[in-house]
Amino acid sequence: MARGRLYKFEKWTLHSKYEVGIAEDLREKGIEFDYEAKTFKYTVQVPHTHCTECGAKPASKTAKYTPDFFLPNGIIVEAKGRWTSSDRKKMAAMAEQYPELDIRMLFKSDNWLTKAHRDSYSTWCEKRGIPYHVGDVIPEEWLNG
């Protein structure tokens, strides 16, 4: 996947100005955190395929997910400006396959998922029980929770 410009912040390389702002806010508040500190493997189904070994439909593949911010209280924060269909599939798989993790979504804005305007980022999370917040910084209750 092609990435845009990278931004240096302390010992890390962040992927957006949005993430830099979040990291700066955490530092200003004296909150220790880690960035992209751990990678998780997850499995997703690949539509319109079949398993070459057993013939089952659809086939599945293993992928990797590296969350953005790891807070000292165990909360993991994934920060998103633009949230693609593949990002949503990844988050749904992670929520299902790692229920013990406290992964929360932080959105720059609460955009529509499609041009049909049926669901927004927030309604998608609500339907799946994934905690979220819309804003430029991680909410205080997540930092203290």
Side-chain angles (χ1 to χ4, degrees), residues 104-118:
R104 302 180 185 195
M105 300 300 302
L106 180 64
F107 300 115
K108 179 116 177 108
S109 21
D110 193 14
N111 297 321
W112 293 108
L113 295 177
T114 65
K115 291 179 184 178
H117 294 189
R118 290 194 182 102

Side-chain angles (χ1 to χ4, degrees), residues 19-145:
E19 290 179 349
V20 171
I22 295 164
E24 288 173 345
D25 180 68
L26 290 170
R27 279 294 183 249
E28 287 172 13
K29 292 175 178 169
I31 304 292
E32 290 297 317
F33 68 93
D34 214 344
Y35 179 79
E36 293 190 342
K38 186 174 180 181
T39 297
F40 300 90
K41 289 183 179 181
Y42 67 97
T43 304
V44 291
Q45 291 186 339
V46 182
H48 312 294
T49 61
H50 66 279
C51 177
T52 56
E53 292 179 18
C54 68
K57 292 184 181 184
S60 61
K61 71 174 183 175
T62 301
K64 294 179 182 177
Y65 166 56
T66 305
D68 295 327
F69 295 95
F70 291 78
L71 302 179
N73 59 12
I75 292 174
I76 299 169
V77 178
E78 180 66 24
K80 287 291 182 192
R82 182 171 172 261
W83 203 28
T84 65
S85 173
S86 62
D87 290 331
R88 295 189 300 274
K89 288 177 187 172
K90 175 181 10 183
M91 291 314 301
M94 286 297 299
E96 179 183 309
Q97 295 167 37
Y98 291 91
E100 72 279 7
L101 295 179
D102 188 355
I103 302 175
R104 302 180 185 195
M105 300 300 302
L106 180 64
F107 300 115
K108 179 116 177 108
S109 21
D110 193 14
N111 297 321
W112 293 108
L113 295 177
T114 65
K115 291 179 184 178
H117 294 189
R118 290 194 182 102
D119 278 324
S120 62
Y121 292 2
S122 61
T123 56
W124 188 95
C125 288
E126 288 168 0
K127 288 179 180 179
R128 289 155 184 84
I130 297 173
Y132 71 91
H133 178 76
V134 178
D136 291 328
V137 297
I138 296 171
E140 292 292 326
E141 57 268 20
W142 292 9
L143 301 176
N144 302 322

